[in-house]
Amino acid sequence: MVGIRRGVVGKASYSLFALARNALSYHEDWREAWRSPEPKKHYKVIIVGGGGHGLATAYYLARVHGIRDIAVLEKGWIGGGNTGRNTTIIRSGYLWDESIALYEHALKLWETMSQELNFNVMFSQRGVINLSHSVHEMREMRRRYEAVRLNGVDIEMLSPSEIKKMVPIINIDPNIRYPVMGGILQRRAGTARHDAVAWGYARGADDMGVDIIQNCEVTGFRRKADGAIEGVETNRGFIGADKVGCVPAGHSAVLAEMAGFKLPIQARPLQAMVSEPVKPCIDTVVMSNAVHMYISQSDKGELVLGAGTDSYNSYAQRGSFNIAEHLMAATVELYPITSRLRMLRSWGGIVDTCPDASPILSKTPVPGLYFNCGWGTGGFKATPGSGHVFADLIANDRPNAIAAPFALDRFRTGYLVDEHGAAGVAH
Amino acid sequence: MTGMNSPHQTNRITGTHVKGGGRVDRSRPVSFTFDGTSFSGFEGDTLASALLANDVHLIGRSFKYHRPRGLLGLGSEEPNALIQLARGNRTEPNTRATQIELFDGLVAQSQNRWPCLKFDVGAVNQLFHKLFPAGFYYKTFMWPASFWMAYEHVIRHAAGLGKAPEGPDPDRYERMHAHCDILVAGGGPSGLAAALAAARTGARVILADESTEFGGSLLSEDDVEIDGLPAADWVAQVVAELRSMPEVTLLTRSTVNGYYDHNYLTIAERVTDHIGAVVPNVPRQRIWKVRAKRVVLATGTIERPLVFRDNDRPGVMLSSAVRGYAVRYGVLAGQRPLIVTSNDDGYRTALAMHDRGARIACIVDLRTEPDGALVDAARSRGIEIHAGHSLVGSLGRGRVQGAEIARMTGDGTGLNGAVRRVDCDLIAMAGGFNPTVHLFSQSRGKLTWDPERFIFVPGTNHEPQVSVGGCNGDFTVAQAIKDGLQKGVEMAREAGFTGRKPAAPEVSEPKSTAERTLWLLPSTRPVGHKGKHFVDFQNDVTAADLKLATREGYRSIEHVKRYTTTGMATDQGKTSNVNALAIVSETLGVDVTQVGTTTFRPPYTPTTIGAYGGRDIGALFDPVRTTAMDGWHRENGATFEHVGQWMRAWYYPKKGETLRQAVDRECLAARTGVGLLDASTLGKIDVHGPDAAEFLNRIYSNAWLKLGIGRCRYGLMLKDDGMVMDDGVTTRIAEDRFHMTTTTGGAAGVLAWMEEHLQTEWPELKVHLTSVTEQWAVASIVGPKSRDVLAKLNDLDLSNDAFPFMSMREGTVAGIPARVYRISFTGDLAFEVNVPRRYGRALWEAVMAAGAEFDITPYGTEAMHVLRAERGFIIVGQDTDGSVTPSDLGMDWIVSKTKPDFIGKRGMARPDLQDPHRKQLVGLLTEDPNEVLPEGAHVVADLKPQPPMVMLGHVTSSYYSPNVGRSIALAVIKGGHGRHGQTLSVPLVGRSLKVTVCEPVFFDKDGSRKDG
């Protein structure tokens, strides 16, 4: 029986008190946040992909479903994919009931995550505003506002002057190329410290006995005579498993191909960038579809800027310069004071996008093999909800009510959840 | 100021010790202020050199502990000396003092301190530093849960560096495209040599350097001679030759900052920053976007700091920087310097300082038995050398006042002797050099770790390029020049030029012997127990922090970096990355290559956001598309709406009219008399080729093969999934030519969609697609009297028999060659007159004149929307959203049952698309005929007092219809086709409305009005 280590070793819990006590020993007695074990020969469940979603899945499998014989296999370092490359925006104001249910489930988990994990993920409910710049967008915004409101989720409509009050640096001059005509605000929405989410879940899962194995790349799937999953081939040898859950953002189509089926997914670069840090000048997250940019300011003071995806498919984790150029022009256009600030760093991630811009949380044609992928540009905000629901799917071998609409089967039946409009950035 | 006697500058080298005097112009004194105090410097100074000249070492405060900080470096690697430059809307935070060129009246301020630099309240953090190890914030601030926003507020205000301007930027920026054969990044010895060799072959060369003048490290050396000339004179000679060549572009103050795919590079040029004034018609900064056939990377090296206790005190500097300030700027950074070195290069600094009048405190050499010419030269000058010693730590308050040194154990991990105090006012650290491989790495080149020399050097390259000189690991001037000449010619040859390698010049420079690399200098107590051993100065990351991270399981260098924030400051780890990597690998006891390198990403140095935006802001942010009749609309008081990039006339209010009044008037006129709509913005695509009909047959859901010449047909375009994507009327102009129209917003997407299918799915079809949206101006004459108006301008037979509905005739209208289409978006008789764009306004005015006797009424997009809704015509993108099938719209009639295939056929066959409970298009009528439903409102069957409630669908279009005499609405609701007659609710905030479901046609239900 694997015990909860933290309960046994009193020093390991995080708190101001623990910091003070460890200061006396020069912080030399902190234990590792997670172990780096050698893989065992067999696990009950293997999670392929050590990003936020995969680690959360392992955490909830152990915590909610009592399954502790789990390995998370990560080909590089945990949190090194899109978990560590996104712009950290969290919100649940989507368009369709199915999406609102999923992202709101996640948002509720975000609200208690730091305490649940005993790891400060700095979930900051500073509010997210979505802007409208045309009569058409105002109509669509009203539709989304009503959809979110009637689902019982918090949402408000803002006039340009109300937006200006919250975001003093925004330009609401009605004569600019795409004037701000209004916006919707979700106050419970916000940002979090992305790396901390991966580390927090890793530490929590490790505490319950989950093996987190980095630098372990899955190269194939082995199936039994009856077709069910038997385990995975890796660069560190074969590892057997009763069930395998794949959470390989950015490479889901590649893994599915290995397992012998196809996913309706396109992989494209999505880039983001940060400015040099400055004293606080914008407290809210603001997104604009028409102008193709979104902005927030990190606790460190960097302006975090995001753009649309590149228009071609690629696995290179870098975006095109013209997208970056456009993003920065858009930033100056909407926030003129940013012109003299400097862009410090830009990077790219690969987003796996489904035809309906909604994710896949599903059983697959291979018994015992499950896929969680296709989050497009919206994966980070879903992290806890995705892990929670996917753990349930793996444990019970059937989707719960939240996961059911996101089954792979929908591309066959046509029951799509088309979120292109609400997904935040243009696909 | 010129001509005025310059006030005394304490550290400026004067008198007999002036050896060339540096490259500043002492005849041109310049005055500036720092934190409100006036100082003087000379033209040619940087803010950094001028502050040093005035003995100002305290320049900033660190990010986390608010420790006092001074200059570390000489150029863009500077982590500490960040300045808030200028005032008002031209203020600029986080500017490196080392790159600010001095001009008269320059205003500089320190940042991240309160109330002032000397007495910074934030320094209280130092008292609690023991509670603030790396990542402390992940371990606390969690209780009570609701307090995080309060904690965060404090953290946010404590963080940040400088301040953003408060108003818009008054300056202009520009972007520039260039092509060249050879781009040389960096104008030091190797870059100059490469540029010269390439240019002599006739190749088009761009040479860019981030500094104010070419020469790189050569400007900071006084012990190098090339072909018998002082190094700086050789530089001048080469630059003069390059300047004389017409195909060479020389860019100074220009940082090659981004390296993208296919040798596409960006250069950030600072055009006027050094003048401090606005120059008419010249941008402040310029981004060059260069496509180069070949690239020569000659980006040089950056010196490594040594990691010892309290190595961050003002007065602890890089040795090469100390030498640079002395030789290049004529400034002694200290009068009594101590040099701590792992190599011979530190001796060059000692000699340069000594020869300029400084009293060298001593040289602390990590090596046990240093020897060679440089060491001898130091000895011969009587400079004290402590071999095999460690610099245990720095001493002083706010400034270096001394150092502790002690003999090391043989392996360099501990001390083996008493600690001695040495008085000094400057510590110059010579820790060896790192090749500047950032651009190479950005271009996806693979780095190789040289375990002998402890440096990363370029390995396999990904782009057609070459690295030369320091950035390639060649640290001597002779080798850099020789290699530069060789590679310059090679690259030119690869770019298609012929030429010979110029003879390499004779170089005289000091010879260096082996160095001894120690990543962490031993001190009296273990790391982290006393004092701080800084690795990343700006982010306050210490060696103890790195060790803590590895202890806690953050072992990949990416984890270490993210956990400790090392390398993530505005200098992007230029001086800290390799030290951090090495300390981590040493701590873990693994090879450096196993820890990994972090990826270098653009830009090399932070670059102004406004410069990247260039002129694509304001009116030029996105092109505004207007129709040929736009001027008329403006002159006649139209109000406009944005439709994609287009500006369309929304409605034409007469004096005092509201939107509703104007639209009512326009709608009535179009049904009872005649209206005129500018329909020019509709997408228009010329579909041409022998397979044009077959192509349309596959693209549209209905049949196209048998459409007669001169006949029009309405078509729906579906996506693969069977959902409506676009619609429009397409007309057969000739056997092999069709004129397609699309929605205004969908035009570009439809063209791309069709091109994609032609090129990837059906390459066998012979079809050309050409956008002709801008080629035609379109005036729709609409209403029962439209025929009478057109008859006055045209000699065609306009009778229903001769010119039936859904056909096209070519002729002239008002003397203008025209295509007239009898199609209608209102249901009433209508003629859509298409003329070449340049006649658009003439046509419009002619129609208005001819219609005057019928009281012709121009109407805008709002009335157009109402009129089409009255008749139940959909607008794709408003009544559909990518999840609506033709069947959902009640348009099964437009889906061919007999065609073998078309896009969307297979998708439509899926079970969910056959489900009778799908959302379907219906009409909605409110109880109160004057109540207009908000578009976007949702419809429920089971109204609850509070959300949540189950929604059936939403209102897509909603208007007051003067022709029907009440409000009308279109909606998509679940099972809508079976709900006609039902009463449902629309919940709004604070109230709800009852609605009756009906057929989505409100006017002319039998469609009899189309013939007039």
Side-chain angles (χ1 to χ4, degrees):
Chain A
M1 177 72 197
V2 182
I4 297 181
R5 294 186 304 138
R6 185 150 299 121
V8 180
V9 185
K11 257 198 163 176
S13 181
Y14 290 166
S15 66
L16 185 62
F17 179 63
L19 273 169
R21 194 179 39 204
N22 275 283
L24 301 177
S25 54
Y26 306 101
H27 299 285
E28 284 171 358
D29 293 332
W30 288 107
R31 58 182 311 145
E32 55 193 1
W34 60 86
R35 299 160 295 129
S36 298
E38 281 302 307
K40 295 193 287 183
K41 283 207 161 58
H42 184 275
Y43 291 90
K44 236 181 196 157
V45 179
I46 283 177
I47 302 296
V48 181
H53 290 227
L55 293 163
T57 304
Y59 175 83
Y60 290 115
L61 272 170
R63 168 114 183 140
V64 179
H65 303 279
I67 302 172
R68 293 184 171 182
D69 184 19
I70 302 172
V72 178
L73 309 185
E74 165 56 47
K75 76 169 173 181
W77 37 282
I78 60 167
N82 292 344
T83 298
R85 293 166 184 272
N86 65 83
T87 50
T88 81
I89 298 170
I90 293 159
R91 64 195 170 89
S92 66
Y94 274 63
L95 182 60
W96 299 95
D97 296 349
E98 294 86 349
S99 315
I100 295 170
L102 175 59
Y103 289 100
E104 178 61 17
H105 180 60
L107 183 50
K108 290 211 173 85
L109 290 167
W110 276 113
E111 287 175 320
T112 56
M113 190 190 290
S114 293
Q115 288 71 34
E116 160 95 22
L117 297 178
N118 179 237
F119 200 103
N120 191 352
V121 298
M122 303 181 203
F123 176 48
S124 174
Q125 294 182 293
R126 47 188 58 262
V128 173
I129 295 175
N130 284 80
L131 301 176
S132 289
H133 299 272
S134 68
V135 174
H136 175 72
E137 282 201 313
M138 288 296 285
R139 183 189 303 122
E140 293 302 306
M141 184 181 90
R142 178 66 186 258
R143 177 185 174 194
R144 177 133 67 106
Y145 161 78
E146 293 287 356
V148 175
R149 182 178 75 86
L150 292 173
N151 266 291
V153 173
D154 79 297
I155 192 91
E156 293 164 47
M157 287 227 269
L158 300 180
S159 68
S161 59
E162 288 168 321
I163 293 169
K164 180 80 180 168
K165 220 172 273 170
M166 291 190 72
V167 186
I169 66 170
I170 199 169
N171 183 4
I172 56 163
D173 183 340
N175 296 314
I176 63 173
R177 181 67 184 86
Y178 292 108
V180 175
M181 294 179 71
I184 48 176
L185 162 69
Q186 187 175 23
R187 287 190 194 271
R188 288 166 58 239
T191 58
R193 175 81 184 94
H194 53 10
D195 296 321
V197 177
W199 302 338
Y201 274 120
R203 176 167 163 268
D206 177 89
D207 267 352
M208 293 182 284
V210 174
D211 284 354
I212 292 161
I213 300 161
Q214 304 184 82
N215 302 312
C216 181
E217 182 170 3
V218 169
T219 53
F221 295 93
R222 196 184 285 181
R223 296 167 68 170
K224 295 181 205 154
D226 63 358
I229 198 80
E230 190 180 352
V232 295
E233 306 285 355
T234 77
N235 59 346
R236 292 162 74 166
F238 173 79
I239 309 175
D242 299 346
K243 294 178 176 181
V244 175
C246 290
V247 204
H251 284 79
S252 49
V254 179
L255 270 178
E257 198 94 35
M258 285 181 200
F261 58 94
K262 287 202 166 189
L263 290 175
I265 272 182
Q266 313 244 19
R268 289 186 177 176
L270 174 68
Q271 57 185 321
M273 53 198 65
V274 294
S275 75
E276 293 183 340
V278 286
K279 292 291 176 192
C281 64
I282 178 167
D283 288 337
T284 313
V285 182
V286 189
M287 317 178 69
S288 165
N289 258 3
V291 179
H292 282 315
M293 67 91 46
Y294 46 99
I295 186 169
S296 64
Q297 188 171 15
S298 73
D299 286 349
K300 198 178 168 192
E302 298 156 330
L303 295 179
V304 184
L305 309 175
T309 51
D310 272 22
S311 50
Y312 57 85
N313 291 3
S314 167
Y315 286 111
Q317 287 176 316
R318 51 200 259 142
S320 303
F321 182 66
N322 67 316
I323 302 266
E325 254 180 325
H326 175 84
L327 168 60
M328 283 185 273
T331 305
V332 176
E333 176 72 0
L334 271 181
Y335 308 94
I337 67 135
T338 59
S339 176
R340 294 180 91 83
L341 304 183
R342 296 190 203 87
M343 197 259 275
L344 171 60
R345 184 169 69 235
S346 64
W347 65 91
I350 301 301
V351 295
D352 279 350
T353 307
C354 292
D356 58 356
S358 283
I360 293 168
L361 280 159
S362 185
K363 298 170 74 168
T364 68
V366 181
L369 179 66
Y370 310 85
F371 261 69
N372 175 351
C373 60
W375 291 91
T377 58
F380 179 69
K381 64 177 75 69
T383 305
S386 160
H388 193 264
V389 163
F390 194 50
D392 190 90
L393 171 64
I394 293 171
N396 299 318
D397 194 38
R398 56 171 168 70
N400 65 17
I402 293 175
F406 300 100
L408 199 44
D409 202 36
R410 74 180 188 273
F411 302 105
R412 195 182 58 73
T413 66
Y415 190 89
L416 302 181
V417 187
D418 198 318
E419 285 287 358
H420 279 287
V425 295
H427 293 281
Chain B
M1 284 298 294
T2 313
M4 208 183 90
N5 280 338
S6 70
H8 178 66
Q9 297 170 15
T10 316
N11 290 336
R12 188 73 68 177
I13 300 162
T14 52
T16 52
H17 293 298
V18 178
K19 197 175 157 190
R23 303 184 68 78
V24 296
D25 185 346
R26 292 178 188 236
S27 69
R28 300 175 91 84
V30 166
S31 87
F32 67 101
T33 68
F34 175 62
D35 278 350
T37 307
S38 287
F39 294 99
S40 82
F42 296 117
E43 230 176 73
D45 263 326
T46 61
L47 177 62
S49 65
L51 285 171
L52 279 183
N54 287 282
D55 204 34
V56 176
H57 270 269
L58 174 60
I59 297 181
R61 289 272 171 176
S62 69
F63 190 78
K64 185 167 152 188
Y65 301 118
H66 290 253
R67 285 168 72 108
R69 289 285 165 78
L71 287 159
L72 179 76
L74 187 71
S76 65
E77 76 284 2
E78 174 60 40
N80 287 334
L82 302 186
I83 293 294
Q84 181 94 33
L85 197 59
R87 293 202 186 100
N89 291 348
R90 285 206 161 86
T91 194
E92 197 187 340
N94 310 337
T95 310
R96 285 174 291 276
T98 50
Q99 290 190 295
I100 299 169
E101 293 178 54
L102 210 58
F103 55 81
D104 209 34
L106 180 138
V107 176
Q109 287 190 297
S110 57
Q111 347 182 107
N112 198 37
R113 81 288 186 268
W114 185 87
C116 72
L117 192 53
K118 278 215 169 106
F119 306 99
D120 177 16
V121 167
V124 71
N125 284 2
Q126 290 177 58
L127 296 179
F128 301 108
H129 70 97
K130 284 189 174 166
L131 294 180
F132 299 157
F136 72 98
Y137 30 75
Y138 299 122
K139 294 177 174 141
T140 183
F141 301 131
M142 288 183 276
W143 304 272
S146 59
F147 271 37
W148 169 243
M149 295 306 289
Y151 293 130
E152 192 187 33
H153 183 82
V154 176
I155 292 170
R156 282 170 84 85
H157 283 81
L161 290 167
K163 290 188 183 117
E166 285 176 9
D169 191 340
D171 291 332
R172 260 181 345 121
Y173 302 88
E174 197 170 81
R175 292 184 304 216
M176 182 108 165
H177 287 276
H179 288 80
C180 65
D181 298 305
I182 314 286
L183 171 64
V184 182
S190 57
L192 285 169
L196 185 70
R200 282 187 183 166
T201 68
R204 179 172 295 178
V205 174
I206 296 176
L207 172 63
D209 191 275
E210 69 177 354
S211 188
T212 52
E213 50 181 331
F214 293 108
S217 59
L218 293 181
L219 303 177
S220 295
E221 308 296 7
D222 62 352
D223 52 8
V224 178
E225 286 190 352
I226 304 170
D227 271 348
L229 295 172
D233 293 356
W234 179 82
V235 170
Q237 212 176 59
V238 173
V239 171
E241 181 175 348
L242 287 169
R243 215 175 283 288
S244 72
M245 296 168 145
E247 293 296 337
V248 174
T249 304
L250 296 178
L251 298 173
T252 51
R253 303 185 176 93
S254 299
T255 309
V256 181
N257 68 347
Y259 201 143
Y260 302 85
D261 291 337
H262 309 298
N263 266 359
Y264 184 69
L265 294 95
T266 53
I267 304 173
E269 183 186 7
R270 300 178 300 282
V271 186
T272 66
D273 283 354
H274 63 290
I275 305 171
V278 181
V279 183
N281 303 317
V282 173
R284 176 184 169 225
Q285 296 179 358
R286 183 184 283 134
I287 298 282
W288 292 70
K289 301 190 274 184
V290 182
R291 186 76 71 178
K293 278 190 189 150
R294 291 293 181 276
V295 172
V296 177
L297 298 174
T299 46
T301 59
I302 295 174
E303 195 168 23
R304 292 202 281 243
L306 290 167
V307 183
F308 55 85
R309 195 193 74 211
D310 300 326
N311 57 343
D312 68 324
R313 271 205 174 86
V316 181
M317 297 175 68
L318 295 175
S319 152
S320 58
V322 169
R323 188 157 85 240
Y325 285 113
V327 176
R328 184 166 173 181
Y329 298 101
V331 172
L332 288 182
Q335 301 296 332
R336 189 153 176 70
L338 177 153
I339 288 92
V340 52
T341 186
S342 68
N343 56 59
D344 278 2
D345 199 74
Y347 286 79
R348 297 173 76 183
T349 300
L351 298 177
M353 294 292 280
H354 173 89
D355 294 352
R356 283 169 175 72
R359 286 187 306 134
I360 308 298
C362 65
I363 294 174
V364 176
D365 197 323
L366 308 182
R367 300 173 296 182
T368 47
E369 285 166 11
D371 61 359
L374 282 163
V375 177
D376 293 343
R379 285 204 176 103
S380 73
R381 283 169 174 80
I383 297 172
E384 203 177 312
I385 299 170
H386 300 282
H389 273 60
S390 170
L391 192 98
V392 176
S394 77
L395 302 168
R397 267 184 72 84
R399 166 83 194 264
V400 168
Q401 285 157 338
E404 291 179 341
I405 66 170
R407 183 174 295 284
M408 288 186 288
T409 55
D411 62 358
T413 59
L415 299 181
N416 186 22
V419 173
R420 280 209 299 135
R421 187 194 154 116
V422 179
D423 285 336
C424 60
D425 62 358
L426 181 77
I427 297 175
M429 306 180 277
F433 292 86
N434 284 322
T436 307
V437 291
H438 299 62
L439 289 174
F440 175 79
S441 172
Q442 278 186 29
S443 73
R444 295 206 268 173
K446 287 246 180 315
L447 297 175
T448 308
W449 177 250
D450 180 340
E452 304 290 312
R453 298 198 292 165
F454 303 100
I455 53 174
F456 281 106
V457 290
T460 323
N461 57 312
H462 189 81
E463 296 280 347
Q465 62 174 205
V466 69
S467 295
V468 297
C471 72
N472 197 36
D474 294 327
F475 293 161
T476 66
V477 174
Q479 185 62 33
I481 293 178
K482 191 169 156 233
D483 207 34
L485 294 170
Q486 175 70 34
K487 299 289 174 39
V489 166
E490 276 173 25
M491 288 291 106
R493 284 187 195 139
E494 286 185 24
F497 295 83
T498 50
R500 293 218 324 247
K501 184 191 133 191
E506 279 296 316
V507 177
S508 139
E509 62 186 314
K511 298 263 177 303
S512 287
T513 58
E515 62 183 287
R516 179 189 195 189
T517 302
L518 289 178
W519 300 110
L520 196 47
L521 302 196
S523 50
T524 49
R525 310 262 314 263
V527 166
H529 287 219
K530 186 180 175 221
K532 293 196 180 302
H533 300 63
F534 284 96
V535 176
D536 182 317
F537 293 93
Q538 191 182 121
N539 272 354
D540 275 342
V541 181
T542 65
D545 289 327
L546 299 173
K547 286 173 181 284
L548 173 64
T550 59
R551 192 178 301 129
E552 291 198 87
Y554 302 91
R555 284 171 199 151
S556 153
I557 193 63
E558 283 287 350
H559 280 158
V560 173
K561 173 180 137 188
R562 287 154 185 263
Y563 190 65
T564 64
T565 74
T566 191
M568 298 185 83
T570 65
D571 57 293
Q572 291 286 287
K574 288 188 176 66
T575 54
S576 62
N577 275 343
V578 173
N579 279 346
L581 198 59
I583 289 170
V584 168
S585 82
E586 219 168 53
T587 305
L588 292 173
V590 300
D591 197 61
V592 162
T593 49
Q594 275 177 273
V595 182
T597 48
T598 59
T599 318
F600 292 106
R601 299 190 174 98
Y604 172 63
T605 50
T607 306
T608 310
I609 291 174
Y612 282 114
R615 298 207 194 167
D616 289 1
I617 54 169
L620 300 179
F621 176 65
D622 200 21
V624 177
R625 298 173 81 182
T626 55
T627 71
M629 295 80 133
D630 185 69
W632 191 93
H633 304 324
R634 286 180 196 279
E635 287 157 27
N636 287 273
T639 301
F640 289 83
E641 79 163 314
H642 292 264
V643 182
Q645 290 176 321
W646 290 95
M647 291 295 269
R648 293 195 75 179
W650 192 10
Y651 58 101
Y652 300 81
K654 290 193 169 166
K655 207 168 176 176
E657 272 184 342
T658 61
L659 183 150
R660 166 79 178 272
Q661 287 165 338
V663 171
D664 282 1
R665 174 176 52 74
E666 291 171 13
C667 286
L668 286 169
R671 293 261 185 235
T672 57
V674 57
L676 184 62
L677 173 77
D678 179 356
S680 306
T681 64
L682 280 190
K684 294 176 275 291
I685 299 168
D686 181 70
V687 183
H688 184 208
D691 296 320
E694 173 61 25
F695 175 67
L696 292 180
N697 217 39
R698 297 183 193 182
I699 284 283
Y700 281 126
S701 67
N702 49 346
W704 288 83
L705 296 179
K706 292 182 185 145
L707 184 69
I709 293 170
R711 300 297 304 212
C712 317
R713 184 164 288 168
Y714 174 76
L716 270 188
M717 234 175 252
L718 310 180
K719 290 188 296 176
D720 307 85
D721 59 8
M723 306 299 172
V724 174
M725 167 185 153
D726 205 83
D727 71 343
V729 171
T730 292
T731 303
R732 192 165 206 163
I733 306 294
E735 186 59 32
D736 63 349
R737 169 163 268 151
F738 291 80
H739 177 82
M740 171 185 280
T741 65
T742 73
T743 58
T744 296
V750 167
L751 181 65
W753 171 258
M754 296 201 298
E755 272 295 350
E756 181 184 340
H757 280 81
L758 271 181
Q759 291 181 26
T760 65
E761 302 293 326
W762 311 315
E764 73 281 7
L765 293 186
K766 294 191 175 68
V767 179
H768 280 294
L769 303 173
T770 311
S771 169
V772 292
T773 304
E774 305 279 2
Q775 276 61 41
W776 295 97
V778 183
S780 272
I781 312 170
V782 177
K785 304 223 172 90
S786 56
R787 187 178 278 134
D788 301 335
V789 173
L790 188 57
K792 290 177 66 181
L793 299 169
N794 182 290
D795 53 6
L796 286 173
D797 182 350
L798 299 176
S799 68
N800 286 323
D801 291 341
F803 190 176
F805 184 57
M806 295 304 269
S807 62
M808 184 277 292
R809 294 290 177 269
E810 287 181 295
T812 58
V813 174
I816 305 165
R819 284 178 184 165
V820 183
Y821 298 80
R822 247 205 80 189
I823 56 180
S824 174
F825 196 36
T826 67
D828 268 293
L829 178 67
F831 296 88
E832 208 162 80
V833 183
N834 286 236
V835 298
R837 181 186 159 101
R838 60 186 176 279
Y839 297 118
R841 179 148 182 179
L843 169 73
W844 185 270
E845 286 176 353
V847 174
M848 285 303 294
E853 64 176 288
F854 307 99
D855 198 18
I856 192 167
T857 303
Y859 68 91
T861 51
E862 188 64 21
M864 176 189 84
H865 282 195
V866 179
L867 292 164
R868 62 90 203 177
E870 290 174 347
R871 191 58 189 76
F873 294 149
I874 58 151
I875 289 186
V876 172
Q878 177 170 346
D879 300 301
T880 72
D881 61 1
S883 70
V884 177
T885 68
S887 177
D888 298 339
L889 297 169
M891 293 171 75
D892 290 302
W893 52 269
I894 204 167
V895 179
S896 167
K897 312 284 180 291
T898 54
K899 281 203 290 187
D901 202 6
F902 57 88
I903 296 177
K905 183 182 170 92
R906 185 155 163 260
M908 249 191 302
R910 294 177 297 176
D912 186 67
L913 282 76
Q914 311 294 324
D915 185 344
H917 302 297
R918 287 178 60 80
K919 287 184 182 171
Q920 292 155 342
L921 186 74
V922 296
L924 294 181
L925 294 173
T926 49
E927 276 182 324
D928 173 357
N930 287 313
E931 178 87 47
V932 179
L933 292 167
E935 288 171 346
H938 284 249
V939 181
V940 303
D942 187 10
L943 184 69
K944 296 267 170 55
Q946 292 293 332
M949 48 192 115
V950 176
M951 291 165 267
L952 296 176
H954 74 285
V955 177
T956 59
S957 298
S958 177
Y959 314 96
Y960 182 81
S961 162
N963 293 306
V964 184
R966 58 156 300 135
S967 67
I968 57 171
L970 298 174
V972 286
I973 61 174
K974 281 182 184 155
H977 293 163
R979 289 184 187 267
H980 291 188
Q982 284 185 10
T983 300
L984 300 170
S985 298
V986 174
L988 302 173
V989 176
R991 65 187 184 129
S992 67
L993 300 170
K994 289 250 176 295
V995 292
T996 308
V997 181
C998 65
E999 198 192 342
V1001 185
F1002 306 92
F1003 187 81
D1004 183 29
K1005 295 193 182 189
D1006 57 359
S1008 60
R1009 292 171 61 101
K1010 65 178 186 295
D1011 287 332

